Structures are given as C-alpha cells and as structure tokens.
Amino acid sequence: MNQITVNTSRPYDILIGEGLLGRTGEYVRRVSKCRKAAVITDDIVASYYLDEVEASLKREGLETCAHVFPNGEASKRHATLLDVYEFLTQNQLTRSDLIVALGGGVVGDLAGFAAATYLRGIDFVQIPTTFLAQIDSSVGGKTAVDTPHGKNLVGAFHQPILVLCDLDALSTLPEENFKDGVGEAIKYGMIKDARLFELLRSGACKEHLLDVVTTCIDIKRAVVENDELDRGERMLLNFGHTVGHAVENYMGYQLTHGKCVGVGMAVISKAAAEAGIGDREVYTAVVEALKAYDMPYALDIDYDAALNACLSDKKRDKDEIRCILIRKIGEGYVYTMKASDFKPFALKGVK
Ligand SMILES: NC(=O)c1ccc[n+]([C@@H]2O[C@H](COP(=O)([O-])OP(=O)(O)OC[C@H]3O[C@@H](n4cnc5c(N)ncnc54)[C@H](O)[C@@H]3O)[C@@H](O)[C@H]2O)c1
Ligand SMILES: [Zn+2]
C-alpha cells in the first residue's frame, strides 16, 4: 500500500492499494471519532460495494445509514443535493458525524458539496471507485454540482479528511469508463512526468496500476499544494481541456470527458507544432499514447462551431486565454494569448 499526505490548509492522507474497502472502518477510526457515518453512493456502485463498506464501518462500532441515487452526470444537480440534505437531516447527522462518498466523480463532487455545506460543513471521506476519480476528482478538494447553465457552476473547496483508493474496485469498472482515467493520466505524464508518460505510451497502464495511480495522485498533490484555490499553477491541469470541453459540449456529452480531453491534447499539440511554437514529437507522442488504449485523437466534427463555446469558457480571463502547451514530454507551461487568437490557433490543429 502507498500513502500520500496532502498538505493543504487541512492536511489529509490518501491511501492507495488493494483490499481497502473492506477495512474502511479501521481507517476511518484513525482519523475520526464520529458516532455515525452516512454513506452516499450511486445505484451501480452500491450494488457492488455498499454492503462491504457499511459492514466494515459497523465492525468499528459506527452507526451507518446510506443514501443511493441513480448513477450518471444527470444526478449531479440540486434536486439530488436536496434529497441528500433531507436524508442527512432525517438521520440526524450532526457536525461531529461523517459523510462517506463512495463512487466516481459524480458521487465525490456531490457528496463533497453536501459535506461542505450541510451544517456549514462536516467531515467527509472519499472512496473513489473509478480510475478518473482516484487520480483526479478525489484529490484537491473541489466539490460541485451542475446547473442547467453548465457543469460545476455551484461548488466549494472542501478537503476530505481521508481518501481510500482501492485498486480492486477498478476490476468492475467498464472499459469505456476506464479510458476516461487514461486520458487524464496521459495529461499528467505530458505536463509533469516523462517516465509516467512513457509507461502509458507503452500501453501497460493496467499492469502498473499502483504505480500509475500513485504517480498521478502525487502530481496532482504537488500542484494542488502550490495552488489550493486554483489561481496559478493548477492551470497546468487544464492541458487539453479548453478544446476538450468545447468538444464535450458540442457532442452533447455523448463522448465522455477523458476521451474529449485526449482529443483536446492532440489538437492543441498539433496546433502548437503547426504554429512553430511546439515540437511535433509531442503531438505524435500524444496520438501514440491514445492509440495504445484505442482512444480517439481526431474527430470528424465542425471544430469551428465547437470552439465558439470556448469563448465563454471560464478559463478565459478578460480578453486573454491561458493555453497549456508542452515544452517537451513531461513539461507543461502556460502560454497566454489574446482570446481572439485562440480559435484560429486551435484550428491549425485539426487540418
Ligand atoms: N472535483 C474535481 O476536481 C473533478 C475533477 C475531474 C472530474 N470531476 C467530475 O467527475 C465526474 C466524472 O467522474 P467519473 O468519470 O468517475 O464518473 P461517474 O461518477 O459518473 O462514474 C462513471 C460510471 O461508472 C460507474 N462506476 C463507478 N465506480 C464503478 C465501479 N468500481 N465499478 C463499476 N461501475 C462503477 C458509475 O456508476 C457511473 O455509471 C464529472 O462530474 C466531473 O465534473 C471532478
Ligand atoms: Zn479533466
């Protein structure tokens, strides 16, 4: 088992290994004296793991209650959140009790936001069960729900008191969901870690899961510690994301996030090479890595129309766009350009 301590305003540990779900109670007891744990999860994750987690908490003398909502991004909204508040109130959760977020990024973001706001904030533990949630959404303390106007528009920074990344949970994760995590893992390699990138490019992600998950978490840890509230270095994590979000939005969220980010990384790397500010090897390396997992790197879509969505992207500051480019594999940097230059620049990457 590996352990990473995240030194944010409120430090916490992330444990990464096998067989952790069945020991949830023991690990929770080390960090909390709570009387009651409210497990929040979705229907698919509940069917696999809820009994095991609740039984483990009970063995340590904790009272438990569970709230299960339908899986999928559509649940990450206020109506579900209100149900969660209702559930917490009915079960008389107090400020000294605990929320356990058991599931992917949707559960983590929603249960985390409930924890950030219920009674002005109570403790929560993240048990991420998707590859993406383990390496990305469960680290960094961002919690949110979507509104009809867009994703993650209402949220809060609220750090968990503990994160348990059980690699065994990934054995039930569908391949297509796994690929979303691969997109983000490739991103981490490109911006910070050439060794990780080469391991991923070789197609051996699953054979080295403990290494990959630990390395990705450690990269996010370092970035988040330097920039907890997302005002500077954390922007590096947006490599591939401006175009990725535009594609995701344009496709009506039919192509999932990590795959859109993959396409975004390919497009922006090619654009940089075409514009003479990037190495073509970076582009070919991104494409090779994506191909190794049978992930898309170019789409037959109207990028011009898709990119118009970027102009309202929240990463745009005044009339500038901060675009993340790659100096060499393992080294991302922020390249600032005029907002009006971004679309013509990015379109160089799709010809
Ligand atoms: N907070 C952050 O910093 C941050 C970062 C990145 C993404 N996110 C958010 O994360 C969300 C996406 O997360 P996600 O990709 O984990 O999606 P998700 O939570 O919707 O999970 C994907 C699917 O996998 C199922 N699932 C989860 N674990 C499983 C398992 N072990 N076995 C079988 N099925 C399982 C879920 O029921 C769901 O159907 C988005 O809402 C995104 O905005 C947040
Ligand atoms: Zn992402």
Side-chain angles (χ1 to χ4, degrees):
M1 185 177 74
N2 289 338
Q3 175 168 344
I4 291 176
T5 302
V6 185
N7 282 305
T8 36
S9 46
R10 181 185 184 186
Y12 59 95
D13 288 336
I14 301 177
L15 308 186
I16 307 138
E18 289 161 358
L20 303 186
L21 282 179
R23 301 180 61 187
T24 302
E26 278 171 57
Y27 294 121
V28 164
R29 264 293 167 245
R30 292 183 195 173
V31 293
S32 170
K33 296 194 179 71
C34 69
R35 191 176 50 88
K36 197 182 275 186
V39 184
I40 302 190
T41 187
D42 73 29
D43 50 354
I44 293 181
V45 179
S47 70
Y48 289 116
Y49 304 114
L50 179 57
D51 288 350
E52 189 180 359
V53 167
E54 278 201 282
S56 164
L57 290 161
K58 286 195 167 93
R59 276 199 301 279
E60 296 297 316
L62 281 121
E63 238 181 87
T64 68
C65 52
H67 181 74
V68 180
F69 60 77
N71 74 91
E73 185 72 28
S75 282
K76 207 176 110 177
R77 60 191 169 112
H78 278 99
T80 316
L81 186 65
L82 294 180
D83 290 344
V84 170
Y85 292 145
E86 187 65 30
F87 158 78
L88 296 172
T89 310
Q90 279 183 2
N91 285 281
Q92 299 175 332
L93 262 271
T94 69
R95 291 201 64 191
S96 48
D97 290 324
L98 180 78
I99 287 177
V100 176
L102 171 68
V106 165
V107 169
D109 278 13
L110 184 121
F113 188 55
T117 46
Y118 178 72
L119 302 178
R120 296 198 186 85
I122 70 171
D123 285 347
F124 86 117
V125 168
Q126 290 259 31
I127 309 185
T129 60
T130 65
F131 186 29
L132 180 126
Q134 295 194 346
I135 65 171
D136 190 356
S137 61
S138 68
V139 191
K142 281 190 183 177
T143 70
V145 292
D146 304 334
T147 81
H149 299 285
K151 271 173 61 81
N152 301 323
L153 288 182
V154 176
F157 285 95
H158 189 57
Q159 304 294 343
I161 60 168
L162 173 71
V163 181
L164 298 178
C165 286
D166 189 339
L167 303 178
D168 290 339
L170 304 185
S171 63
T172 53
L173 188 67
E175 194 56 33
E176 291 307 305
N177 293 110
F178 189 80
K179 289 179 184 176
D180 281 321
V182 171
E184 300 287 357
I186 292 171
K187 173 195 80 178
Y188 285 120
M190 265 295 171
I191 60 169
K192 283 283 181 192
D193 191 327
R195 184 196 70 89
L196 170 67
F197 181 82
E198 293 307 339
L199 189 161
L200 292 166
R201 170 154 59 169
S202 75
C205 181
K206 282 201 175 161
E207 290 74 49
H208 298 274
L209 260 187
L210 179 63
D211 181 2
V212 171
V213 172
T214 306
T215 306
C216 290
I217 290 176
D218 203 45
I219 292 170
K220 186 151 184 191
R221 173 203 61 74
V223 172
V224 164
E225 280 179 0
N226 285 334
D227 182 21
E228 183 171 352
L229 299 180
D230 200 2
R231 295 188 176 123
E233 187 184 339
R234 213 162 159 159
M235 277 188 307
L236 282 184
L237 300 171
N238 290 331
F239 175 49
H241 277 61
T242 305
V243 173
H245 281 145
V247 169
E248 205 176 356
N249 193 18
Y250 179 81
M251 307 274 290
Y253 295 89
Q254 294 308 301
L255 189 65
T256 51
H257 179 73
K259 292 178 193 158
C260 294
V261 169
V263 172
M265 292 189 289
V267 168
I268 217 69
S269 306
K270 187 172 180 192
E274 295 286 327
I277 51 172
D279 192 340
R280 203 167 180 85
E281 150 68 0
V282 170
Y283 166 66
T284 50
V286 168
V287 170
E288 273 176 38
L290 293 170
K291 278 184 176 168
Y293 302 91
D294 202 16
M295 289 173 66
Y297 57 92
L299 301 172
D300 188 16
I301 61 167
D302 182 353
Y303 281 96
D304 196 304
L307 283 164
N308 284 332
C310 287
L311 301 176
S312 61
D313 191 281
K314 64 184 173 183
K315 282 189 289 298
R316 196 172 63 113
D317 273 348
K318 297 183 199 125
D319 53 354
E320 287 182 341
I321 278 195
R322 287 178 230 181
C323 178
I324 310 307
L325 299 181
I326 304 299
R327 199 165 276 124
K328 61 178 201 264
I329 295 174
E331 196 180 324
Y333 69 101
V334 181
Y335 184 85
T336 305
M337 64 176 81
K338 284 206 305 221
S340 54
D341 290 343
F342 182 73
K343 194 170 82 170
F345 170 73
L347 286 176
K348 288 183 200 293
V350 301
K351 285 192 199 111

